[in-house]
Every structure is written in C-alpha cells, then in structure tokens.
Amino acid sequence: MKKTVLVSGGAGYIGSHVTVELLQAGYEVVVADNMSNCDSTCFEGVRKITGRDDLKLNIVDFCDKARVEELFSEYKMDALIHFAAFKAVGESVADPLKYYGNNLESFVNVIGAAHRHGLHNILFSSSATVYGQVEDLPVTEKTPRLPATSPYGNTKQICEDILRDCTSAYKDIKGIALRYFNPIGAHPSALIGELPRGVPNNLVPFITQTAVGKRECLSIFGNDYPTPDGTCLRDYIDIVDLAKAHVAAVSRMLDGKMEADYEIFNVGTGRPVSVQELVDTFEKVNGLKLNCKIAPRRDGDVTAIWADTALAGEKLGWKATRELSDTLKSAWEWEKHIAGK
Ligand code: UFG
C-alpha cells in the first residue's frame, strides 16, 4: 500500500519539486495550495514530468480551519510536508501582522487537524535564517539560534518551536525541521522552477531576469565585506537535491527510523560561494555577459553563512550532488522556458 504525503503549498517553487520527487519515489501525494503566490504553471509541470494527468490540485487556504478539516476528512494521509507560508523578508518587516497571521495560523491549523485525524509525521520547511549572523562557521544543527532579524525569520523560529512542543506534548506526533540554505535552480526538464511575482528579491531569479532582458542591471549588494572577494558568502543548494532531502526525511519518519520525537537537519552543500563567484559561474556556463554593477550593502544581509551537512549525511543518507554549474544552467533554461525562448 502506497503511503500518502500531504504537501501544503505544493504548487509553489519548492513544493512542486518535492511533489515530483515524492511521486517518483513511489509515494502518493495530496497537493494543496491556496495559489496566493503562484499560478498553475508549476503544478502543470509536475503533471507533465510525472505523467500524472490525474493528479489533483486541492485549493486550500490553511488559515481556513473548516477547509483544512474538510481536506483531512477527504483523504487518509500518512505524513505532512508544510510549505504553505509567505516568504519575503522585506515585506515581513513592512507588514509583520500579515506574516504572523498567515504563517503561524496556517501551521497551528494543519498540526491540529493532523493530530485529530491521526496523521503523526510532520515535516516543517525551516530556513538557515533561524541562525542569524553566527560567528562560528559552518553552522551545525547545535549552533544556537540568534534572535531573528525579520518577522519572516521569527515565524520560522516560532514554527520550529511549535513543532518541537507538539512532539513533546502529544506523544504520537513526530516532527522534522529541515533548515534550507539558499535553494536555487530548476528541474532539469525546465518544466518547473521559481516564478517570483514582481521584482525578484533573491539573487538567482534577478540574474536570470537580467540575462533575459526583463531587468536592466543586476546590483551586487556590497563588495566591501570581510570575505575573500568582498561579496557575501552563501550556501546555494540545488532545488532537486533539496527536494530529495525531503524524500529522505519522510522515509525516515515513515520507516520508524527517527531517534528522537523532533529532529533538525541542515540542508545545504557545505560549500560557501560568493555573490561574485555565482555571477561569474552563471556567465561562464551559459556563455553570457550580465549587465551588473556594485551597489551599497543591503540592509539585513549577513556577511556569510554556510552549512555543516554531516548530520544529514549520517542520518538521512543524503547529500547534495548537483554541481553549481549544472544548477545555474537549469536556472537559465527555466527562465528561457517561461520567456517562451
Ligand atoms: N544579492 C545581490 N543582488 C541581488 C539579490 C541578492 O547582490 O539583486 C546578494 C545578497 O546581498 C546576498 C546574496 O545575494 O548576499 C543572496 O541573497 P538572496 O536574497 O538570494 O538570499 P538571502 O541569503 O538573502 O536569503 C535567504 C533566503 C531567505 C531567508 C534569508 C535570511 O532566501 O528565505 O536568507 O537572510 F530569509
């Protein structure tokens, strides 16, 4: 009997890639999304990649308790991966109530429904943002979390705590938080990828939109940081590698392999890459020259952060495999695909 995984926010960037990997690994998936931050492009892409024309898109706002209840009554599900949340750092600073309201309420609702309906395995999509600017790099899962620097980051910390407390209070619930570093790239088919609304905040979508001519010039935010080339260091994780980490974590839960009721894993490559190195690599592998300039530092950016990935390697049997060059090629193929080129 196939195990069924509910993917909340399943039509979005990460959710759609995770849905593909779960289906290809032999799981059944219930995709649910309120489509507030995406259209159906990625969901249609998932259907094409997997040949699952019958896959249903359940329109669910996870803040709507009655609708969540209805979903749990309709399907018998074994695990939940919760993505449904707002994710723009700057917007969360400008409108914190939007973030606390949506990101916390939806998570509380879905855990409550899971608890009532006997779904015991919950995976939460957390972020490296919970670490803040730490001194000792790379960060391990034991590195203490510093106070969040944005309401968005705070919702990630609070949701981690909600999950931890629920696993400790309700003995039937098990939880895993995956702390993503910087997810980038697209599926090799170029049928699913990131579709930011408006001007992208993140580096790679801004690069690809500049390359395709949608943006005039890429700004590199600061080249006077205390790093080898003066630009910030991040750990860029390929989206398909990231998606596979979810399959490994879900299997760990469903196969009864967890060693504690609540576990945390970093999901990154373990390799710091500078903004300048990323831009240079993009240009080289795609044979392009980007229009770019050095701009002032961006408020709130940490100088450097990258993951220690030993725990995920040991316990999940997972590690990142895709080369940065291939990931950046996939990001460009996806941008061309959506531009119709
Ligand atoms: N950058 C530029 N120009 C741009 C966009 C970004 O130089 O146009 C630089 C940033 O300054 C940073 C690096 O590229 O040094 C990466 O920036 P992103 O916005 O792509 O990613 P962040 O590391 O800022 O964001 C990540 C996650 C968020 C999370 C945040 C916490 O994507 O979900 O870390 O700081 F909240």
Side-chain angles (χ1 to χ4, degrees):
M1 210 17 206
K2 275 188 179 183
K3 298 274 188 194
T4 301
V5 183
L6 168 60
V7 180
S8 76
Y13 174 44
I14 303 181
S16 57
H17 286 83
V18 168
T19 300
V20 166
E21 296 305 318
L22 285 168
L23 290 168
Q24 289 181 341
Y27 290 99
E28 187 48 40
V29 179
V30 174
V31 178
D33 205 300
N34 70 354
M35 311 306 283
S36 68
N37 199 27
C38 61
D39 61 21
S40 60
T41 307
C42 287
F43 180 72
E44 293 306 333
V46 171
R47 281 180 161 170
K48 272 199 201 117
I49 293 167
T50 59
R52 285 288 306 270
D53 295 338
D54 62 320
L55 193 69
K56 195 176 157 196
L57 174 57
N58 297 276
I59 305 298
V60 180
D61 179 344
F62 283 85
C63 289
D64 180 347
K65 238 177 155 169
R67 180 68 186 102
V68 175
E69 202 54 40
E70 208 175 84
L71 183 78
F72 275 81
S73 305
E74 190 177 347
Y75 298 97
K76 165 93 190 73
M77 300 172 292
D78 304 284
L80 157 71
I81 305 182
H82 184 69
F83 293 110
F86 295 143
K87 59 173 188 179
V89 177
E91 186 189 44
S92 79
V93 175
D95 193 355
L97 285 180
K98 179 172 175 181
Y99 277 68
Y100 289 118
N102 181 69
N103 294 7
L104 303 186
E105 194 181 349
S106 58
F107 195 44
V108 169
N109 281 347
V110 78
I111 296 189
H115 185 46
R116 282 191 298 281
H117 289 266
L119 185 162
H120 303 313
N121 304 286
I122 299 174
L123 193 158
F124 175 63
S125 64
S126 191
S127 162
T129 192
V130 301
Y131 291 115
Q133 174 64 83
V134 288
E135 296 299 322
D136 285 337
L137 291 164
V139 288
T140 76
E141 292 79 356
K142 289 202 163 65
T143 302
R145 297 181 326 190
L146 295 174
T149 51
S150 70
Y152 159 78
N154 206 15
T155 66
K156 290 294 177 195
Q157 292 193 346
I158 296 169
C159 286
E160 283 193 352
D161 295 345
I162 291 172
L163 185 55
R164 180 203 59 207
D165 293 347
C166 288
T167 60
S168 127
Y170 313 121
K171 279 300 161 207
D172 51 345
I173 293 189
K174 303 231 178 295
I176 291 182
L178 295 183
R179 290 178 177 162
Y180 315 146
F181 283 67
N182 288 54
I184 60 164
H187 194 267
S189 64
L191 291 171
I192 55 177
E194 195 170 5
L195 263 182
R197 289 224 163 133
V199 182
N201 292 308
N202 296 117
L203 180 60
V204 170
F206 208 104
I207 289 176
T208 56
Q209 290 197 7
T210 306
V212 86
K214 265 196 207 167
R215 310 280 153 211
E216 235 169 64
C217 180
L218 169 75
S219 293
I220 293 180
F221 297 137
N223 68 347
D224 56 352
Y225 284 97
T227 60
D229 66 18
T231 64
C232 292
L233 298 172
R234 294 288 185 275
D235 184 337
Y236 296 95
I237 172 77
D238 179 87
I239 188 69
V240 176
D241 279 336
L242 177 83
K244 288 182 195 291
H246 293 72
V247 177
V250 162
S251 305
R252 180 174 173 83
M253 291 200 282
L254 291 176
D255 297 346
K257 301 255 172 68
M258 287 178 70
E259 292 163 25
D261 292 338
Y262 174 60
E263 296 181 332
I264 299 169
F265 298 102
N266 284 342
V267 184
T269 65
R271 182 166 98 85
V273 170
S274 76
V275 174
Q276 189 64 59
E277 184 186 348
L278 191 115
V279 170
D280 293 346
T281 309
F282 181 87
E283 291 185 332
K284 188 167 159 232
V285 300
N286 293 310
L288 291 160
K289 194 83 199 114
L290 283 175
N291 191 15
C292 63
K293 63 171 188 216
I294 303 298
R297 291 181 178 194
R298 182 172 70 175
D299 277 353
D301 273 344
V302 298
T303 303
I305 186 159
W306 68 94
D308 181 317
T309 60
L311 193 67
E314 189 191 327
K315 305 287 183 194
L316 297 179
W318 170 90
K319 71 174 172 43
T321 58
R322 212 166 171 201
E323 292 294 331
L324 181 63
S325 51
D326 291 332
T327 305
L328 291 175
K329 274 189 213 160
S330 74
W332 179 227
E333 289 308 316
W334 165 246
E335 186 67 58
K336 286 190 288 185
H337 171 75
I338 50 180
K341 290 193 175 180

